[in-house]
Amino acid sequence: MQKPGIYVFLVRLFVFLMIVVCSPAILGQAENQDSLPAEQDSLSDQDKIEALKSIIESIAALQKEIRQEELVFQQAKSDEAKANITETLQGLTTRLEALKTDFTIIASGIDPEAFFEKATKELDWRKELQEIFLPILIELKAATAHPRDIEKLRSELYYYDKRIPEIQAALENLKLLKETSGEAGVDKELTELISFWEQQEKEFSSEKSAIQLQIQEKEKERKTFAETAQDIMRVFFRSRGRNLFFALLAFAAAFLVLRSLHRLMYRLSPFHQTKRRQFIIRLIDVLYYLFTLITAISALMVVLYLSSDWVLLGLAILFLAGLAWAGKYALPTFLEQAKLLLDLGPVREGERLIYKDVPWQVEALNIYTDLYNPALKGGTIRLPLKDLIGLRSRPFAEEEPWFPTREGDWIVLSDEFYGKVVIQTPETVVIETIRGSYKSYPTADFLHQHPRNLSINVFAVNAILGIDYKYRNIVNTEVITKVKAFMEEEFKKEFYGEHLVQVIVELKNLGESSLDIITIAKFSGEAASEYTEIGWKLQQIALDAANKYGWDIPFPQVTLHPAGEWQINGRS
């Protein structure tokens, strides 16, 4: 367990960061404040009086100008003149109202427009969003101003490049037509047209030259990518980068401190140490996870707000809105995970489940869930909660095995591979062969081989002894009794004979040429390492018994039949 001092340090670090990020001097808030009520607090009475006098003078000048425009309006005769004067009067009136509002704000500290705004005023969401994200658009516009100017100039250059050849072609046609006309009236009109288009050609050529010069100047001003990146980084870290750094620091500090406090609570709380936590404790944990996330995001947003960095604040809002939109489609998954955390899902804490064909016990359901298998070395794995979706758990009995083998057990697989289990982990099972080499299986593949454990309880080997049919009268009495006694005696001579449990000898089958007697030797698990040798020894003993008692072992006989005997219904 970590020392409690680390948590005290984290709490102090969090408080210090909150003081730092909330300080206007650090974040440069004083540099960006532009609202009149905030400035009013820092103005002396004499400054206020001077400002009010200046506003009064401006109001008087505007009122005089308005009266003059009204006189001009009365004297105007055409509708067009009256419309122009009306537009001018509207502008002057708007300026006058703004000055009066400024006078009220400076004098009283109250914005009349905001003060008398009705609470039930209908919001224009489009306008509100434009105001929020306008700084971002301004930043983007400023960042792309230079390439956009060059592109605009190139578009204009393309226009003139296309038009000048058309003018030149038109002049050639006019001059050719004038030479062949011979009519005085037509020549006069053609001369005027030629003069007009020659003037247009000069103007277009001049415009083209001017645009080419502007493009050349713009190209000279263009910086290399490294210089541009350097300037951007310099500006970014001087203002916006600093704000982003402190915002991310506040987010990380809030998240880590709250998560560390929860882990400390989890370790020290007696309610969390029970085998199965109560529902109310789980609900508190889930609410705490939500509180941690909301607090960390709020810390980030507060820092950006206090630093008056509306661009980063707008981007943060866009990012959160994108996450919320994406979360709409992931809502069913989130609900399933919430049910698992509350221990209301198909996987329950303290129960048994199968994950990747291996049985596991669910130790603790959390954001990262611990699964435990006591039969495996390093038998604890940590899974994210989402990996448990789709799984099912169940209560289990104490005597249920967690794995079919133990390290040191001798096993036989379904592919007849025989060896000793050296190590078994959640990923791999390593088997030592009788020749000393190692063979590895992925744990799931090992289980698919249906291992037969020879070291647990007893195992058996068998062999078939075939004797001649002439012993059919004594096979179930004398032969079986003698073979069984002979085998028990011979096995006891071997070093593993002490582990012999039982010898079974029975007539198994009436073969085509022999009486087949099955011999079975059962041994306890302690002799599992001699499984192969015992199988060989059993066949040797069966042969020795036949030799000792003079029993004939017949060869399989092949009978040849005339071809006619194989004909059935005229077909061979």
Side-chain angles (χ1 to χ4, degrees):
M1 181 182 297
Q2 294 182 0
K3 296 182 179 180
I6 186 64
Y7 299 102
V8 177
F9 169 76
L10 290 173
V11 173
R12 290 178 178 175
L13 175 62
F14 177 73
V15 174
F16 169 75
L17 291 173
M18 289 296 98
I19 295 174
V20 170
V21 299
C22 294
S23 172
I26 296 296
L27 294 174
Q29 184 181 12
E31 297 176 359
N32 298 323
Q33 290 178 337
D34 53 1
S35 60
L36 288 174
E39 291 180 354
Q40 183 244 357
D41 294 338
S42 61
L43 293 175
S44 65
D45 291 340
Q46 187 61 36
D47 293 334
K48 290 180 181 179
I49 293 173
E50 292 296 330
L52 293 175
K53 285 172 60 178
S54 176
I55 293 176
I56 291 173
E57 293 173 358
S58 300
I59 289 175
L62 273 176
Q63 289 174 338
K64 181 179 179 181
E65 189 173 352
I66 289 173
R67 287 193 295 269
Q68 291 175 353
E69 291 293 334
E70 288 175 346
L71 291 175
V72 175
F73 179 82
Q74 295 174 0
Q75 297 173 2
K77 296 180 180 180
S78 65
D79 293 338
E80 184 179 355
K82 289 182 178 182
N84 292 334
I85 296 171
T86 301
E87 185 177 352
T88 302
L89 284 171
Q90 288 176 351
L92 293 173
T93 304
T94 302
R95 290 167 57 192
L96 180 62
E97 293 298 327
L99 286 173
K100 290 180 179 180
T101 301
D102 291 344
F103 185 90
T104 304
I105 292 173
I106 294 175
S108 63
I110 296 176
D111 185 352
E113 183 177 351
F115 184 79
F116 292 105
E117 183 179 5
K118 293 183 179 180
T120 57
K121 181 180 178 181
E122 198 171 306
L123 291 176
D124 185 350
W125 291 106
R126 182 177 298 177
K127 182 178 179 182
E128 296 295 331
L129 289 175
Q130 286 177 349
E131 291 181 359
I132 292 174
F133 298 115
L134 183 61
I136 299 177
L137 297 177
I138 293 175
E139 291 273 349
L140 292 174
K141 186 176 180 181
T144 59
H146 192 268
R148 284 189 296 105
D149 289 343
I150 294 178
E151 188 60 32
K152 183 180 178 181
L153 290 172
R154 286 176 176 168
S155 298
E156 295 179 0
L157 183 63
Y158 174 77
Y159 171 81
Y160 289 114
D161 282 340
K162 186 177 179 181
R163 292 294 182 268
I164 290 175
E166 293 178 358
I167 294 175
Q168 292 173 347
L171 285 173
E172 291 180 2
N173 293 335
L174 289 172
K175 291 177 180 178
L176 182 60
L177 189 58
K178 181 180 177 183
E179 291 175 359
T180 59
S181 170
E183 295 289 337
V186 174
D187 289 347
K188 181 180 178 182
E189 293 296 332
L190 291 174
T191 300
E192 292 179 0
L193 279 175
I194 290 172
S195 177
F196 171 78
W197 285 113
E198 286 178 344
Q199 182 63 30
Q200 293 299 315
E201 182 185 11
K202 291 178 182 179
E203 292 179 4
F204 275 44
S205 298
S206 299
E207 290 290 341
K208 177 182 176 180
S209 300
I211 291 173
Q212 288 175 332
L213 291 174
Q214 292 181 54
I215 291 176
Q216 291 176 4
E217 291 297 325
K218 291 287 184 181
E219 292 289 350
K220 290 179 181 178
E221 295 174 2
R222 175 180 288 180
K223 297 180 179 180
T224 64
F225 177 80
E227 292 173 339
T228 304
Q230 186 177 0
D231 291 343
I232 291 174
M233 296 298 289
R234 186 185 301 113
V235 174
F236 180 78
F237 284 106
R238 187 170 60 241
S239 57
R240 187 148 296 128
R242 177 192 59 192
N243 299 335
L244 179 61
F245 171 77
F246 280 110
L248 294 176
L249 189 62
F251 177 89
F255 184 83
L256 292 176
V257 168
L258 291 175
R259 283 289 293 155
S260 299
L261 290 176
H262 183 260
R263 288 173 182 163
L264 179 63
M265 177 182 68
Y266 196 91
R267 292 173 182 173
L268 300 181
S269 169
F271 301 104
H272 289 81
Q273 303 305 318
T274 56
K275 190 172 182 180
R276 288 195 65 176
R277 291 172 292 165
Q278 298 179 358
F279 174 78
I280 186 65
I281 300 300
R282 293 181 177 280
L283 182 60
I284 291 173
D285 286 341
V286 172
L287 294 177
Y288 190 89
Y289 293 143
L290 293 175
F291 171 75
T292 299
L293 181 61
I294 293 173
T295 301
I297 294 175
S298 300
L300 182 143
M301 303 293 283
V302 166
V303 170
L304 295 179
Y305 175 78
L306 292 178
S307 63
S308 300
D309 197 329
W310 309 118
V311 173
L312 287 180
L313 185 61
L315 290 175
I317 294 173
L318 276 176
F319 179 74
L320 293 176
L323 287 180
W325 182 262
K328 179 180 69 172
Y329 300 100
L331 184 60
T333 302
F334 292 153
L335 292 177
E336 286 296 324
Q337 294 184 22
K339 287 168 61 178
L340 289 173
L341 281 175
L342 294 173
D343 207 25
L344 298 176
V347 176
R348 303 292 178 91
E349 194 170 272
E351 294 187 348
R352 174 185 176 118
L353 60 78
I354 302 298
Y355 177 71
K356 293 186 176 179
D357 299 325
V358 180
W360 300 93
Q361 180 181 356
V362 182
E363 280 202 315
L365 277 172
N366 284 309
I367 299 297
Y368 285 92
T369 298
D370 290 333
L371 302 181
Y372 175 64
N373 187 312
L376 300 178
K377 180 172 288 186
T380 299
I381 60 174
R382 186 173 292 107
L383 295 180
L385 202 60
K386 63 181 180 63
D387 286 0
L388 298 180
I389 296 176
L391 301 181
R392 300 288 184 272
S393 67
R394 63 171 179 84
F396 61 91
E398 292 295 330
E399 61 272 14
E400 285 191 61
W402 290 97
F403 208 72
T405 61
R406 303 161 303 183
E407 292 183 0
D409 286 351
W410 289 83
I411 52 94
V412 177
L413 301 180
S414 59
D415 60 3
E416 298 303 323
F417 182 82
Y418 165 70
K420 182 176 71 172
V421 177
V422 178
I423 186 171
Q424 52 189 34
T425 71
E427 292 83 21
T428 307
V429 176
V430 180
I431 300 175
E432 181 183 2
T433 68
I434 57 176
R435 294 180 178 85
S437 60
Y438 283 10
K439 185 174 183 180
S440 299
Y441 289 86
T443 302
D445 292 348
F446 175 78
L447 293 176
H448 291 162
Q449 290 280 349
H450 307 292
R452 181 159 56 97
N453 196 327
L454 305 178
S455 299
I456 297 178
N457 200 13
V458 298
F459 67 91
V461 294
N462 60 76
I464 299 295
L465 173 63
I467 62 175
D468 197 275
Y469 264 95
K470 64 184 178 181
Y471 307 111
R472 61 184 178 274
N473 294 327
I474 62 172
V475 65
N476 287 324
T477 54
E478 181 183 343
V479 172
I480 288 177
T481 302
K482 289 182 176 180
V483 170
K484 181 178 180 181
F486 184 78
M487 285 188 170
E488 290 176 347
E489 183 180 352
E490 291 298 315
F491 272 127
K492 287 180 180 179
K493 296 178 181 179
E494 302 297 330
F495 68 91
Y496 48 79
E498 60 179 329
H499 303 300
L500 179 66
V501 175
Q502 184 183 12
V503 173
I504 300 174
V505 180
E506 297 287 348
L507 177 63
K508 179 186 179 184
N509 187 37
L510 301 177
E512 293 183 359
S513 58
S514 64
L515 298 170
D516 295 334
I517 300 172
I518 185 169
T519 60
I520 302 174
K522 289 186 177 180
F523 287 81
S524 62
E526 288 83 353
S529 60
E530 307 302 324
Y531 172 77
T532 303
E533 185 175 343
I534 291 173
W536 298 336
K537 189 65 178 178
L538 181 62
Q539 297 184 58
Q540 294 173 14
I541 294 174
L543 179 61
D544 290 344
N547 292 332
K548 178 179 179 180
Y549 297 109
W551 297 325
D552 293 336
I553 301 175
F555 292 99
Q557 297 178 7
V558 179
T559 303
L560 300 178
H561 300 275
E565 294 183 10
W566 292 97
Q567 292 181 354
I568 301 175
N569 297 329
R571 293 179 296 175
S572 59

